[in-house]
Amino acid sequence: MGIVAGVDSSAEYTSIVVCDADTGAVVRHGHAEHTGERDDPQSWLLSLGKAASTGQLADVRAIGVSAQQQGVVALDAAGAPVGPALLGNDPRMQTSAADLVEAFGGRVAWAQAVGTVPQAAHPVAKLRWLAREQPEAARQVAEVLQPHDWLVWQLLGRPARRVTDRGDASGTGYWSAAGESYRAELAELALGHRPGLPDVLGPAEPAGQTPEGLLISAGTGQTMAAAFGLGIGLGDAVISLGATGSVCAVHHEALTDPSGTITSYADATGMHLPVVRTLNATRVLRGTAEMLGTDLDGLSELALRSTPGASGMVMLPYLEGEQTPDLPHTAGSLHGLRRESMKPEFLARAAVEGMLCGLADALDVLRGRGVQVQRVFLLGKAAGLDAVRTAAPGLLGAQVVVPEPADYAAIGAARQAAWALSGSGAPPAWPAAACRIFEAGDELAVGQAVRQQYTTVREEAYPGAFPAEPHSGQQPHG
């Protein structure tokens, strides 16, 4: 079928990966920082052009686009943005999100309607903020797009029809992954009038062709594109170790969660991708490393000098409050301090175990709803630390897979482009990502004992933080 390209437009840069459409082999790369303001859509387009400036897109037959999720590009009747894009988890939107929860009848009503409860990151909350804080701009809004939708529209030559995909649509707060349909009245509730919303395409459905005849696929959000690029399926979960953490897994149905802990995304294949987030992941390790006068690698070396369980020391890693469990106003804490445990290696180990146990709590939220987890993919810089890799299988109760670094979101976008180009009922069978695999083996019982130590301390400090005791770790696969 020739070659295809995947474009990933993140918050800071654009990456291009060009792949053989049949085999998935990477043949070219491109990269460029966003040169303008990060909330100026034109800077994303200019960055794309720069990333492709040395012929990266020459001879490609199709392009797929992934981009940062849950941004709002609000357009007026002429197709021009009414103001800067509204991006990310913007704390200005917290009050607006709470207003919407109350206005629609509470958390249960929202979860039943669209599979999520509004939070500051959701486009529906951003529209509410725009209506309250910039009413003149809000009145001009004729259509609402997300970053990937806007880029696809630009590549197609700004046609009258605007499109998105079910993955990115599922993060808006006004599209239901369970019903596979918009709840346009929720966008109207937020904005004050009903805006135009892009048509939602199926996973392999082309968005159209450029004026030059180049096929553009539906595109999707970064989380969905990265999952597709990794090739994850049923039984797989992905834990992303940024400053904050996220846990997602492929599932056969949308999950309704009145507490708002689970966000019910759709994925890029026709399945579902429930997500649970934590506010504390790698920031726990970085903060502890600074306390000990070292860096992440030094922290890992220290932690490996400790035995599992950190001589009884337990860190509850809620440095920025916490979302899972819902403890927004709490702080991190150390428990079990004894004279013999007050050593750098034990503090380092407690930080690693505390971070992983917090993520294991998030993983158990999904397990408790019937999501099967045999393998856990660990992503992010901290996934490269030996202390994290060795402790994770026992604490998470699963085989741990650490992919080699690659632009997985761009690869996923390219794979989607190849799928749309083929017209096939199934995505191309590209090889799985190159990975290192870590098993708990004989250390599973030790890891689960450390996990129980953590759970006991958490329950003593915050009784009832979870509605029910987390499901115990599963036997690792294979």
Side-chain angles (χ1 to χ4, degrees):
M1 289 192 296
I3 56 175
V4 295
V7 172
D8 177 45
S9 180
S10 77
E12 290 88 26
Y13 59 83
T14 299
S15 289
I16 297 175
V17 172
V18 178
C19 302
D20 183 285
D22 295 307
T23 68
V26 176
V27 297
R28 288 199 291 269
H29 292 271
H31 181 91
E33 303 293 321
H34 296 327
T35 55
E37 296 295 329
R38 66 184 296 267
D39 57 4
D40 178 8
Q42 287 298 326
S43 74
W44 315 335
L45 198 59
L46 292 171
S47 172
L48 195 166
K50 187 175 180 182
S53 63
T54 55
Q56 280 79 0
L57 299 182
D59 302 321
V60 301
R61 298 189 59 197
I63 299 175
V65 177
S66 85
Q68 56 182 311
Q69 292 168 231
Q70 297 185 319
V72 166
V73 184
L75 305 178
D76 64 18
V82 302
L86 302 174
L87 304 172
N89 187 22
D90 191 330
R92 296 179 300 170
M93 317 299 172
Q94 290 175 348
T95 300
S96 297
D99 287 346
L100 283 172
V101 173
E102 183 177 353
F104 191 60
R107 302 172 74 86
V108 173
W110 277 97
Q112 291 175 342
V114 290
T116 190
V117 177
Q119 296 171 2
H122 288 118
V124 72
K126 293 179 169 78
L127 293 181
R128 181 74 157 196
W129 179 88
L130 191 67
R132 294 290 185 267
E133 300 298 325
Q134 299 179 11
E136 180 56 36
R139 282 191 287 271
Q140 298 177 47
V141 175
E143 185 142 10
V144 179
L145 302 179
Q146 294 189 84
H148 121 254
D149 313 336
W150 187 86
L151 285 166
V152 166
W153 184 54
Q154 297 295 318
L155 290 174
L156 292 173
R158 298 166 59 94
R161 183 192 188 210
R162 283 110 172 183
V163 298
T164 189
D165 88 301
R166 59 194 294 276
D168 229 1
S170 65
T172 59
Y174 43 78
W175 189 86
S176 167
E180 299 273 346
S181 62
Y182 280 116
R183 294 294 300 268
E185 74 275 16
L186 297 178
E188 181 178 2
L189 176 66
L191 188 60
H193 65 274
R194 187 167 298 194
L197 301 171
D199 294 344
V200 180
L201 302 178
E205 189 176 353
Q209 293 187 337
T210 69
E212 298 77 27
L214 184 64
L215 185 143
I216 306 295
S217 65
T220 194
Q222 281 184 319
T223 299
M224 300 80 189
F228 195 39
L230 283 166
I232 69 169
L234 290 171
D236 293 333
V238 178
I239 293 181
S240 295
L241 300 174
T244 61
S246 69
V247 181
C248 65
V250 177
H251 197 49
H252 64 278
E253 64 180 353
L255 297 178
T256 299
D257 177 26
S259 74
T261 302
I262 299 173
T263 297
S264 191
Y265 287 141
D267 79 346
T269 71
M271 299 287 280
H272 295 271
L273 202 66
V275 177
V276 178
R277 302 188 187 281
T278 70
L279 297 182
N280 301 279
T282 305
R283 65 164 41 106
V284 177
L285 305 187
R286 291 193 185 281
T288 307
E290 289 176 9
M291 285 179 63
L292 295 172
T294 187
D295 56 13
L296 288 180
D297 291 329
L299 182 84
S300 178
E301 292 174 7
L302 283 169
L304 290 172
R305 297 179 197 167
S306 166
T307 53
S311 189
M313 191 188 303
V314 174
M315 178 183 290
L316 297 183
Y318 307 146
L319 306 186
E320 299 291 326
E322 190 47 82
Q323 182 172 326
T324 308
D326 186 21
L327 298 168
H329 305 300
T330 191
S333 52
L334 275 174
H335 301 259
L337 280 173
R338 296 181 177 85
R339 177 65 188 88
E340 59 270 21
S341 65
M342 297 177 72
K343 297 179 180 179
E345 59 265 34
F346 296 135
L347 178 57
R349 183 80 185 197
V352 170
E353 291 175 347
M355 178 192 75
L356 288 170
C357 285
L359 291 161
D361 281 349
L363 186 63
D364 278 346
V365 171
L366 295 178
R367 282 173 165 156
R369 294 294 306 276
V371 177
Q372 296 300 305
V373 178
Q374 278 79 46
R375 299 191 300 175
V376 176
F377 287 72
L378 280 187
L379 305 181
K381 183 174 181 180
L385 301 177
D386 286 340
V388 172
R389 294 175 171 190
T390 56
L395 295 175
L396 300 175
Q399 182 188 82
V400 168
V401 180
V402 181
E404 295 299 321
D407 289 325
Y408 289 109
I411 291 170
R415 190 179 179 206
Q416 186 197 65
W419 190 7
L421 182 65
S422 73
S424 172
W430 288 5
C435 300
R436 292 189 62 187
I437 295 174
F438 299 84
E439 305 275 8
D442 295 339
E443 298 299 312
L444 178 62
V446 173
Q448 291 299 289
V450 173
R451 178 82 195 286
Q452 185 56 54
Q453 175 180 272
Y454 174 92
T455 300
T456 299
V457 170
R458 189 201 67 224
E459 282 299 303
E460 288 175 352
Y462 304 103
F466 286 98
E469 190 68 16
H471 179 72
S472 62
Q474 298 178 358
Q475 187 74 23
H477 178 68

